[in-house]
Structures are given as structure tokens and as C-alpha cells.
């Protein structure tokens, strides 16, 4: 049932209320891709084994991180937010100015649109888990450098393992291409369920809200992506094989 607030969120997404189900792109063949291995965030055990860091040690490791140059210019690290057992995980690019100030992902203008997108899907921010590829703001909001992504990768991998999401949404080109280790344009990554990493986390790709703010005409496509993700999620919950 569409209440008035949900209608407002849908309108913020540029969505007509009669969006047809069949306007959602059909899933194409899933593509296996992977996060390339990074140093695991693990604590060595006396018997030679190791155990991955849990939430609080992971968070404090991130907040003290000096693995790349970005630590010099950050106000603070931006770890992640939301339900640590969420079924849905949203992964963006990197903190912007407002996120650097507040220490929380997606709280600036683009973040407000992401929040509307979530609400249009029926979620509150606290129902999902939100994180970024990078935990520190690149100066002037430039694109992340490959070495920065590489140094930060283990943190995100561990967050994904700890959350154990049923589905991941890569928000924007930078997140999608880095997660899937590809330079395929975002438009060609949409509308299919990718398998992320060795565990094959189901992952779908959509536009970044900052891009949608610049190109509001694309909001309909982003909405179609979210409906596609919801459909994929429902099929996964039924035990269907939507990812390979
Ligand atoms: N853009 C992102 O990709 N992440 C944020 O947290 C904010 C803006």
C-alpha cells in the first residue's frame, strides 16, 4: 500500500506511481567476478590459526588506519552504518565532505537521495547496512586511487563477511567497477545478478545518487534497478538460483 510519505519518496526518485513490473530489465546471465584477495583482517592464534576481527576491533582498526595518504586529510574515518545483520547491503564509493564531518556514510545531498531510494523500497536506513569502498574522504571528492582502494579493500571484505547480506547493491560506477574488478561501463553492469568474491554474494548495480542529482532523467532507471534487486532478492529467498 502506498502511503503519502512513500509516494513522496517515489516522487523524489522521479518515479510515476504506475511503474510497470515488466519495465524492469530482465536478468541476463550472471557474471562471476571477485574482490581480489587482500590481507585478511585477522588476529593470529597461538596454534597458528587466525580469527577474523569482529565489529568493534574492526571499527577501531579502521579509525586508526594510516595505510594510505588519505588519513592525512580526513577529519575522521567513515566506517559504515545500519543493521549489522542486514539482508541488504549498499556499498558506495567514498565519504564526501558531509560524511567526513559526521563520520557516517551517505548523509550529504546524495545521501539524502539514497535514503529516499531506500524508503521508496520500504526500508529505513537502519534496516540495511551502508558502507563505502573507501573509509576516508579523497580530497576534493576526486575518484579513489587504485592503491587507496587496495589498502581499504580488506576492511570492506570483512564488513561483508560480518553482515552476511542476502543481496548487495553497488551504488555507482566506482563501487561497481571496483567490487567486480572490471572496467565495463555501469550501463552494461546493470540488470543482472553478479556473483561477488569467493562466496558469490549476489550483487546488483545501480546509479550513484550524486549522478542522479545531476541527471534526474536517469532516476527511473535507478528505480528499475531497485525493483530488479527486490525481485532478485525474492527469488533468492525462494531458493532459486539467480547467481552463478
Ligand atoms: N557518496 C558515496 O559514495 N558515499 C558516501 O558515503 C557519500 C557520498
Amino acid at each position: 500500500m502506498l502511503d503519502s510519505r512513500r509516494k513522496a519518496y517515489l516522487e523524489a526518485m522521479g518515479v510515476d506511481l504506475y511503474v510497470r513490473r515488466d519495465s524492469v530489465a530482465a536478468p541476463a546471465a550472471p557474471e562471476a567476478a571477485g574482490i581480489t584477495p587482500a590481507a585478511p583482517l585477522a588476529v593470529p592464534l597461538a596454534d597458528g590459526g587466525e580469527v577474523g576481527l569482529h565489529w568493534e576491533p574492526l571499527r577501531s582498526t579502521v579509525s586508526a588506519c594510516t595505510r594510505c595518504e588519505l588519513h592525512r586529510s580526513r577529519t575522521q574515518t567513515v566506517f559504515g552504518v545500519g543493521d549489522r545483520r542486514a539482508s541488504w547491503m549498499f556499498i558506495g564509493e567514498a565519504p564526501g565532505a558531509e560524511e567526513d564531518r559526521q563520520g557516517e556514510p551517505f548523509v550529504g545531498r546524495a545521501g539524502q537521495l539514497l535514503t529516499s531510494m531506500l524508503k521508496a523500497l520500504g526500508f529505513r536506513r537502519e534496516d540495511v547496512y551502508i558502507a563505502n569502498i573507501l573509509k576516508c574522504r579523497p580530497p576534493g571528492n576526486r575518484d579513489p586511487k587504485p592503491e587507496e582502494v587496495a589498502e581499504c579493500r580488506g576492511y570492506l571484505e570483512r564488513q561483508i563477511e560480518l553482515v552476511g547480506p542476502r543481496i548487495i547493491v553497488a551504488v555507482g560506477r566506482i563501487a561497481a567497477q571496483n567490487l567486480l574488478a572490471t572496467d565495463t561501463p555501469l550501463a552494461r553492469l546493470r540488470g543482472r545478478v553478479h556473483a561477488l568474491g569467493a562466496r558469490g554474494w549476489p550483487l546488483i548495480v545501480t546509479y550513484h545518487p550524486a549522478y542522479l542529482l545531476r541527471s534526474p532523467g536517469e532516476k527511473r532507471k535507478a528505480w528499475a534497478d531497485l525493483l530488479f534487486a527486490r525481485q532478485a532478492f525474492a527469488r533468492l529467498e525462494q531458493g532459486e538460483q539467480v547467481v552463478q
Side-chain angles (χ1 to χ4, degrees):
M1 192 61 71
L2 286 170
D3 60 26
S4 56
R5 274 207 312 202
R6 182 118 186 271
K7 280 184 191 158
Y9 298 132
L10 288 166
E11 274 161 22
M13 283 293 301
V15 171
D16 289 334
L17 300 180
Y18 54 81
V19 170
R20 287 163 37 147
R21 289 172 67 102
D22 62 6
S23 67
V24 179
E31 174 180 279
I35 295 179
T36 50
L41 288 164
V43 179
L45 299 175
D47 65 3
E50 54 184 28
V51 62
L53 291 186
H54 216 271
W55 282 112
E56 286 318 313
L58 180 64
R59 181 190 272 280
S60 41
T61 302
V62 168
S63 66
C65 182
T66 55
R67 292 175 68 103
C68 79
E69 288 304 299
L70 294 181
H71 77 276
R72 298 188 191 283
S73 50
R74 73 182 178 219
T75 303
Q76 59 191 312
T77 55
V78 177
F79 181 69
V81 72
D83 180 355
R84 292 174 170 184
R85 307 293 306 270
S87 297
W88 289 64
M89 185 161 178
F90 290 78
I91 301 177
E93 176 181 331
E98 199 52 39
E99 290 76 20
D100 175 72
R101 205 163 13 247
Q102 294 192 35
E104 183 171 329
F106 283 105
V107 289
R109 268 190 79 220
Q112 285 162 21
L113 180 55
L114 180 70
T115 303
S116 291
M117 292 161 74
L118 295 176
K119 288 185 172 165
L121 264 186
F123 293 128
R124 299 166 305 163
R125 276 171 71 90
E126 54 270 36
D127 294 330
V128 303
Y129 195 82
I130 307 172
N132 282 312
I133 297 275
L134 292 190
K135 307 304 184 218
C136 297
R137 180 189 182 208
N141 296 345
R142 64 158 169 74
D143 285 356
K145 294 181 181 170
E147 60 271 25
E148 293 160 355
V149 175
E151 293 298 344
C152 227
R153 184 181 298 278
Y155 299 139
L156 180 62
E157 283 184 13
R158 189 71 189 131
Q159 283 176 302
I160 295 171
E161 277 169 27
L162 287 170
V163 173
R166 313 286 292 192
I167 194 162
I168 296 174
V169 179
V171 179
R173 178 183 67 83
I174 300 275
Q177 291 183 338
N178 279 293
L179 286 166
L180 296 171
T182 182
D183 54 10
T184 302
L186 181 131
R188 287 187 29 222
L189 296 172
R190 296 176 54 240
R192 54 211 281 198
V193 183
H194 303 266
L196 174 65
R199 291 275 300 272
W201 304 106
L203 180 143
I204 75 109
V205 168
T206 192
Y207 293 102
H208 196 285
Y211 169 75
L212 298 176
L213 289 172
R214 293 193 302 273
S215 311
E218 301 287 68
K219 285 182 180 175
R220 283 160 187 274
K221 292 189 193 164
W223 179 238
D225 293 336
L226 296 182
L227 292 179
F228 173 65
R230 186 156 72 185
Q231 194 182 65
F233 178 78
R235 289 174 60 200
L236 285 161
E237 293 298 284
Q238 296 294 319
E240 278 185 50
Q241 185 61 39
V242 297
V243 187
Q244 282 176 352

